[in-house]
Amino acid sequence: MRPNADRLILMYRNMVLIRKFEERSAGFYREGKIGGFLHLYIGEEAVGVGAIAALAPQDYIVTHYRDHGHAIARGLDPKALMAELLGRSTGVAGGKGGSMHLVDVSKGFWGGYGIVGGHIALATGLALASQYQDENRVTLCIFGDGSTNIGYFHESLNLASLWKLPVLYLCENNLYGMGTAVERASAVASMAEKACAYNIPAVRIDGMDTLKVFDATQRAIEHVRSGNGPYFIEAMCYRFPGHSMGDPERYRVKDEVDRYKQRDPIVAFGKQLEGDGVVDEADLERIEREVAQEMDAVASFADASPAPAPESMYDFIYAQSGTH
Amino acid sequence: MMEMTYRDAIREALREEMTRDERVMIMGEEVGVWGGSYAVTQGLMKEFGEKRVKDTPIAEGIIVGAGIGAAMGGLRPVCELMTINFGLLAADMLINHAAKLHYMFAGQIKVPLVVRSVGGGGRQLAATHSQSLEVLFAYVPGMKVVMPSTPYDAKGMLKAAIRDDNPVLFIEHSLLYPIKGDVPEGDYTVPLGVSDIKREGADVTIVAYSRMVHVALEAADRLATEGISAEVIDLRTLRPLDIQPLIESFKKTNHAIIVEEDWRTYGIGAEIACQVYEQAFDYLDAPIVRCAGLEVPMPYAKNLEALAIPGVGDVVRAAKELVG
Ligand SMILES: Cc1ncc(C[n+]2csc(CCOP(=O)(O)OP(=O)(O)O)c2C)c(N)n1
């Protein structure tokens, strides 16, 4: 089922919000206000927004370090997200996690994870908890093409298929793992084929097209929610900037990047909505303006937030035992 | 009180906790149909069914990974790693994931997971199956590492571990499974992170954990016949470490021997000795002595293996040199 006009507009707005959030965070990074690694989601917005729009509120998300877009698509507060990137006390993890480890369990967003592939195992376990407790819940697990070569990927898919766990694996195939092209790292050209090895139904889709991602995810979710076990989606996409800030980008030519930029998923989705009469040009411009304003507020909130107190250093190493 | 083996005490703890709390479940290699490689989980699959006692593929990463995810999602899993040597394949899950999530996500995610495993040597299993790797895990803030020496402690501490909201690595010793001891009937717990004086004495403090507690106690018996009174302290938990009873004991005896099955260099004893030096240097009558495993990959031959693991004779000799 196609989302109604309001939801389509919200999806478009989320894509613009992600883009502007990323541009702003890149700016903070250049100013030295964001430290560590910063992995941008620019160019891949259609995947996160299309897939996450198909989830129900009770569903879970577990993702990798390229997580800003997924967090925004799930409706996490951009102010608290940006504050986390800046390492402030108002951040989603109080400044303890940073860009790679965004979280908001109240929204079913169980974290971004920095160890490639590790979170695929955790997502599989979360799905086990849902199955065990008879919850009507699907866990969406998002990872890159590079993660499909790690042992965890294979151990997880095997177990999920064996135990029919309610997990949807979503591979964002952006053609590179850092600087290594997928064909230089994977003996199998299609990541979806790897899922077939574990008897998991899989599709390969155009990840630059928001509604195609939405449709495929909706179908996959239905399969998983009905108790048929896991499903696998490989979304073909492309990241416009480097792997992380400061990537010298020796592994791809500018032509290739430019070619993909011609297919900018936000522009494409905007045109599609215009063509379908959901919005007109003025609406798109207005959304652009509103989001830019929102980003100003997000950035000044984050930048004005205090650093975590030194006394918070030892907070949360252990949970105080009690009821879970 | 009832006399019971260490193995049966652990099984009783599992059975009672599973009866008490629906969320407690077991997974691991050969835990179900086989009954556990060391027969600890024998009969539990029959009693609780395949939903709550799950045989897994031979895939340590996903055993612990799914355990972490399931714990995040509301279960209280007890994962079994056949031995701690194979636990290295899950070290990333324990160290990079289980121990980090509560802190990194500022308390939003709890991991009430117990990983049971078997460590130590003495059964002629040679280099890859005889290691004492507890220090690797006890090194990590966020982990709890428990190594009980008696049936009483094993049962009470496993129940406490299952009720704890943090990841607990519970390391058993295969040579302890048949030993017998008094265990109260019904429910009781032994708190994690509390050392225990297993025998009182005045002349020398012998610190040990796991099987080495029995070596220390036997040594203390022999020393008593020669007029040396040894106090034996069982650490029981390696992290969080309860050093105070040991410091108090040392202030009384002014001599300490640490008996550890792990390797001497960088081992548990090194840390204990340093903390004693830091906190009770003025009470030192002689350097602290370590009776530790020899620094070799464990040899297979019976005589060589016996030499590589600290024995009663080593401890008696060390004590006589120290206070004689
Ligand atoms: C276990 C592990 N090995 C290496 C790294 C360093 N690393 C971070 S991202 C990355 C590339 C991953 O590529 P992919 O899974 O395709 O995701 P993408 O970044 O393209 O979204 C690497 C090698 C890591 N974080 N974890």
Side-chain angles (χ1 to χ4, degrees), chain B residues 191-211:
Chain B
L192 310 186
V194 181
S195 301
D196 187 40
I197 300 173
K198 285 283 192 283
R199 177 192 177 117
E200 291 196 16
D203 302 327
V204 58
T205 301
I206 307 179
V207 184
Y209 59 92
S210 191
R211 188 173 86 79

PDB file of all heavy atoms in Angstrom, chain B residues 191-211:
ATOM      1  N   PRO B 191      26.369 -13.049  46.903  1.00  0.00           N
ATOM      2  CA  PRO B 191      26.594 -11.833  46.118  1.00  0.00           C
ATOM      3  C   PRO B 191      27.862 -11.901  45.271  1.00  0.00           C
ATOM      4  O   PRO B 191      28.864 -12.481  45.689  1.00  0.00           O
ATOM      5  CB  PRO B 191      26.702 -10.746  47.185  1.00  0.00           C
ATOM      6  CG  PRO B 191      27.009 -11.453  48.459  1.00  0.00           C
ATOM      7  CD  PRO B 191      26.410 -12.817  48.346  1.00  0.00           C
ATOM      8  N   LEU B 192      27.806 -11.293  44.098  1.00  0.00           N
ATOM      9  CA  LEU B 192      28.988 -11.191  43.249  1.00  0.00           C
ATOM     10  C   LEU B 192      29.872 -10.070  43.814  1.00  0.00           C
ATOM     11  O   LEU B 192      29.371  -9.113  44.401  1.00  0.00           O
ATOM     12  CB  LEU B 192      28.590 -10.849  41.814  1.00  0.00           C
ATOM     13  CG  LEU B 192      27.493 -11.716  41.175  1.00  0.00           C
ATOM     14  CD1 LEU B 192      27.321 -11.348  39.696  1.00  0.00           C
ATOM     15  CD2 LEU B 192      27.815 -13.198  41.320  1.00  0.00           C
ATOM     16  N   GLY B 193      31.170 -10.208  43.613  1.00  0.00           N
ATOM     17  CA  GLY B 193      32.057  -9.119  44.043  1.00  0.00           C
ATOM     18  C   GLY B 193      32.344  -9.114  45.526  1.00  0.00           C
ATOM     19  O   GLY B 193      32.608  -8.057  46.095  1.00  0.00           O
ATOM     20  N   VAL B 194      32.281 -10.277  46.167  1.00  0.00           N
ATOM     21  CA  VAL B 194      32.623 -10.363  47.593  1.00  0.00           C
ATOM     22  C   VAL B 194      33.575 -11.548  47.797  1.00  0.00           C
ATOM     23  O   VAL B 194      33.211 -12.695  47.545  1.00  0.00           O
ATOM     24  CB  VAL B 194      31.356 -10.550  48.463  1.00  0.00           C
ATOM     25  CG1 VAL B 194      31.730 -10.620  49.942  1.00  0.00           C
ATOM     26  CG2 VAL B 194      30.357  -9.421  48.204  1.00  0.00           C
ATOM     27  N   SER B 195      34.790 -11.254  48.249  1.00  0.00           N
ATOM     28  CA  SER B 195      35.744 -12.333  48.526  1.00  0.00           C
ATOM     29  C   SER B 195      35.333 -13.048  49.799  1.00  0.00           C
ATOM     30  O   SER B 195      34.572 -12.522  50.600  1.00  0.00           O
ATOM     31  CB  SER B 195      37.154 -11.757  48.712  1.00  0.00           C
ATOM     32  OG  SER B 195      37.550 -11.057  47.559  1.00  0.00           O
ATOM     33  N   ASP B 196      35.880 -14.252  49.972  1.00  0.00           N
ATOM     34  CA  ASP B 196      35.446 -15.069  51.101  1.00  0.00           C
ATOM     35  C   ASP B 196      36.662 -15.690  51.785  1.00  0.00           C
ATOM     36  O   ASP B 196      37.560 -16.204  51.121  1.00  0.00           O
ATOM     37  CB  ASP B 196      34.528 -16.172  50.554  1.00  0.00           C
ATOM     38  CG  ASP B 196      33.891 -16.981  51.661  1.00  0.00           C
ATOM     39  OD1 ASP B 196      33.495 -16.382  52.691  1.00  0.00           O
ATOM     40  OD2 ASP B 196      33.798 -18.210  51.505  1.00  0.00           O
ATOM     41  N   ILE B 197      36.681 -15.624  53.116  1.00  0.00           N
ATOM     42  CA  ILE B 197      37.753 -16.294  53.856  1.00  0.00           C
ATOM     43  C   ILE B 197      37.355 -17.756  54.003  1.00  0.00           C
ATOM     44  O   ILE B 197      36.394 -18.081  54.669  1.00  0.00           O
ATOM     45  CB  ILE B 197      37.958 -15.646  55.235  1.00  0.00           C
ATOM     46  CG1 ILE B 197      38.325 -14.174  55.028  1.00  0.00           C
ATOM     47  CG2 ILE B 197      39.039 -16.378  56.025  1.00  0.00           C
ATOM     48  CD1 ILE B 197      38.394 -13.360  56.299  1.00  0.00           C
ATOM     49  N   LYS B 198      38.096 -18.636  53.342  1.00  0.00           N
ATOM     50  CA  LYS B 198      37.724 -20.053  53.362  1.00  0.00           C
ATOM     51  C   LYS B 198      38.375 -20.765  54.546  1.00  0.00           C
ATOM     52  O   LYS B 198      37.954 -21.848  54.934  1.00  0.00           O
ATOM     53  CB  LYS B 198      38.143 -20.731  52.048  1.00  0.00           C
ATOM     54  CG  LYS B 198      37.230 -20.372  50.850  1.00  0.00           C
ATOM     55  CD  LYS B 198      35.909 -21.126  50.878  1.00  0.00           C
ATOM     56  CE  LYS B 198      35.096 -21.032  49.591  1.00  0.00           C
ATOM     57  NZ  LYS B 198      34.381 -19.791  49.374  1.00  0.00           N
ATOM     58  N   ARG B 199      39.415 -20.171  55.103  1.00  0.00           N
ATOM     59  CA  ARG B 199      40.051 -20.763  56.281  1.00  0.00           C
ATOM     60  C   ARG B 199      40.800 -19.657  56.989  1.00  0.00           C
ATOM     61  O   ARG B 199      41.495 -18.870  56.351  1.00  0.00           O
ATOM     62  CB  ARG B 199      41.017 -21.866  55.827  1.00  0.00           C
ATOM     63  CG  ARG B 199      41.787 -22.516  56.963  1.00  0.00           C
ATOM     64  CD  ARG B 199      42.918 -23.374  56.405  1.00  0.00           C
ATOM     65  NE  ARG B 199      43.702 -23.928  57.504  1.00  0.00           N
ATOM     66  CZ  ARG B 199      43.814 -25.225  57.765  1.00  0.00           C
ATOM     67  NH1 ARG B 199      43.228 -26.101  57.011  1.00  0.00           N
ATOM     68  NH2 ARG B 199      44.559 -25.633  58.785  1.00  0.00           N
ATOM     69  N   GLU B 200      40.662 -19.604  58.302  1.00  0.00           N
ATOM     70  CA  GLU B 200      41.348 -18.544  59.040  1.00  0.00           C
ATOM     71  C   GLU B 200      42.725 -18.993  59.481  1.00  0.00           C
ATOM     72  O   GLU B 200      42.955 -20.162  59.741  1.00  0.00           O
ATOM     73  CB  GLU B 200      40.497 -18.123  60.238  1.00  0.00           C
ATOM     74  CG  GLU B 200      39.247 -17.420  59.769  1.00  0.00           C
ATOM     75  CD  GLU B 200      38.538 -16.623  60.860  1.00  0.00           C
ATOM     76  OE1 GLU B 200      39.148 -16.361  61.910  1.00  0.00           O
ATOM     77  OE2 GLU B 200      37.374 -16.269  60.627  1.00  0.00           O
ATOM     78  N   GLY B 201      43.641 -18.045  59.517  1.00  0.00           N
ATOM     79  CA  GLY B 201      45.001 -18.364  59.929  1.00  0.00           C
ATOM     80  C   GLY B 201      45.749 -17.106  60.293  1.00  0.00           C
ATOM     81  O   GLY B 201      45.236 -15.993  60.130  1.00  0.00           O
ATOM     82  N   ALA B 202      46.977 -17.248  60.788  1.00  0.00           N
ATOM     83  CA  ALA B 202      47.680 -16.101  61.364  1.00  0.00           C
ATOM     84  C   ALA B 202      49.017 -15.780  60.708  1.00  0.00           C
ATOM     85  O   ALA B 202      49.478 -14.642  60.764  1.00  0.00           O
ATOM     86  CB  ALA B 202      47.885 -16.319  62.855  1.00  0.00           C
ATOM     87  N   ASP B 203      49.646 -16.781  60.058  1.00  0.00           N
ATOM     88  CA  ASP B 203      51.036 -16.567  59.644  1.00  0.00           C
ATOM     89  C   ASP B 203      51.194 -16.133  58.191  1.00  0.00           C
ATOM     90  O   ASP B 203      52.112 -15.396  57.855  1.00  0.00           O
ATOM     91  CB  ASP B 203      51.836 -17.862  59.853  1.00  0.00           C
ATOM     92  CG  ASP B 203      51.790 -18.327  61.302  1.00  0.00           C
ATOM     93  OD1 ASP B 203      51.744 -17.444  62.190  1.00  0.00           O
ATOM     94  OD2 ASP B 203      51.780 -19.544  61.543  1.00  0.00           O
ATOM     95  N   VAL B 204      50.340 -16.625  57.317  1.00  0.00           N
ATOM     96  CA  VAL B 204      50.476 -16.308  55.894  1.00  0.00           C
ATOM     97  C   VAL B 204      49.085 -16.297  55.250  1.00  0.00           C
ATOM     98  O   VAL B 204      48.222 -17.093  55.600  1.00  0.00           O
ATOM     99  CB  VAL B 204      51.420 -17.319  55.181  1.00  0.00           C
ATOM    100  CG1 VAL B 204      50.923 -18.747  55.341  1.00  0.00           C
ATOM    101  CG2 VAL B 204      51.589 -16.979  53.705  1.00  0.00           C
ATOM    102  N   THR B 205      48.907 -15.351  54.326  1.00  0.00           N
ATOM    103  CA  THR B 205      47.639 -15.275  53.593  1.00  0.00           C
ATOM    104  C   THR B 205      47.829 -15.955  52.239  1.00  0.00           C
ATOM    105  O   THR B 205      48.730 -15.588  51.484  1.00  0.00           O
ATOM    106  CB  THR B 205      47.247 -13.803  53.364  1.00  0.00           C
ATOM    107  OG1 THR B 205      47.129 -13.162  54.641  1.00  0.00           O
ATOM    108  CG2 THR B 205      45.945 -13.689  52.605  1.00  0.00           C
ATOM    109  N   ILE B 206      47.002 -16.932  51.953  1.00  0.00           N
ATOM    110  CA  ILE B 206      47.052 -17.572  50.626  1.00  0.00           C
ATOM    111  C   ILE B 206      45.792 -17.168  49.855  1.00  0.00           C
ATOM    112  O   ILE B 206      44.681 -17.415  50.299  1.00  0.00           O
ATOM    113  CB  ILE B 206      47.133 -19.107  50.724  1.00  0.00           C
ATOM    114  CG1 ILE B 206      48.299 -19.516  51.636  1.00  0.00           C
ATOM    115  CG2 ILE B 206      47.309 -19.718  49.339  1.00  0.00           C
ATOM    116  CD1 ILE B 206      48.432 -21.034  51.815  1.00  0.00           C
ATOM    117  N   VAL B 207      46.017 -16.521  48.731  1.00  0.00           N
ATOM    118  CA  VAL B 207      44.900 -16.027  47.922  1.00  0.00           C
ATOM    119  C   VAL B 207      44.741 -16.941  46.718  1.00  0.00           C
ATOM    120  O   VAL B 207      45.737 -17.283  46.065  1.00  0.00           O
ATOM    121  CB  VAL B 207      45.198 -14.598  47.415  1.00  0.00           C
ATOM    122  CG1 VAL B 207      43.997 -14.054  46.656  1.00  0.00           C
ATOM    123  CG2 VAL B 207      45.575 -13.692  48.561  1.00  0.00           C
ATOM    124  N   ALA B 208      43.506 -17.319  46.423  1.00  0.00           N
ATOM    125  CA  ALA B 208      43.281 -18.197  45.272  1.00  0.00           C
ATOM    126  C   ALA B 208      41.863 -18.016  44.762  1.00  0.00           C
ATOM    127  O   ALA B 208      41.075 -17.257  45.340  1.00  0.00           O
ATOM    128  CB  ALA B 208      43.528 -19.650  45.669  1.00  0.00           C
ATOM    129  N   TYR B 209      41.560 -18.693  43.662  1.00  0.00           N
ATOM    130  CA  TYR B 209      40.189 -18.701  43.141  1.00  0.00           C
ATOM    131  C   TYR B 209      40.022 -19.976  42.323  1.00  0.00           C
ATOM    132  O   TYR B 209      41.001 -20.605  41.911  1.00  0.00           O
ATOM    133  CB  TYR B 209      39.880 -17.448  42.309  1.00  0.00           C
ATOM    134  CG  TYR B 209      40.785 -17.273  41.115  1.00  0.00           C
ATOM    135  CD1 TYR B 209      40.431 -17.789  39.867  1.00  0.00           C
ATOM    136  CD2 TYR B 209      42.001 -16.615  41.239  1.00  0.00           C
ATOM    137  CE1 TYR B 209      41.262 -17.638  38.776  1.00  0.00           C
ATOM    138  CE2 TYR B 209      42.839 -16.461  40.146  1.00  0.00           C
ATOM    139  CZ  TYR B 209      42.469 -16.974  38.922  1.00  0.00           C
ATOM    140  OH  TYR B 209      43.298 -16.837  37.846  1.00  0.00           O
ATOM    141  N   SER B 210      38.775 -20.360  42.118  1.00  0.00           N
ATOM    142  CA  SER B 210      38.446 -21.567  41.360  1.00  0.00           C
ATOM    143  C   SER B 210      39.169 -22.789  41.936  1.00  0.00           C
ATOM    144  O   SER B 210      39.306 -22.911  43.152  1.00  0.00           O
ATOM    145  CB  SER B 210      38.742 -21.351  39.874  1.00  0.00           C
ATOM    146  OG  SER B 210      38.200 -22.408  39.102  1.00  0.00           O
ATOM    147  N   ARG B 211      39.675 -23.670  41.104  1.00  0.00           N
ATOM    148  CA  ARG B 211      40.231 -24.915  41.628  1.00  0.00           C
ATOM    149  C   ARG B 211      41.416 -24.678  42.560  1.00  0.00           C
ATOM    150  O   ARG B 211      41.687 -25.477  43.455  1.00  0.00           O
ATOM    151  CB  ARG B 211      40.668 -25.837  40.480  1.00  0.00           C
ATOM    152  CG  ARG B 211      41.065 -27.225  40.977  1.00  0.00           C
ATOM    153  CD  ARG B 211      41.338 -28.200  39.865  1.00  0.00           C
ATOM    154  NE  ARG B 211      42.702 -28.149  39.359  1.00  0.00           N
ATOM    155  CZ  ARG B 211      43.746 -28.720  39.960  1.00  0.00           C
ATOM    156  NH1 ARG B 211      43.609 -29.378  41.085  1.00  0.00           N
ATOM    157  NH2 ARG B 211      44.947 -28.642  39.421  1.00  0.00           N
TER     158      ARG B 211
END
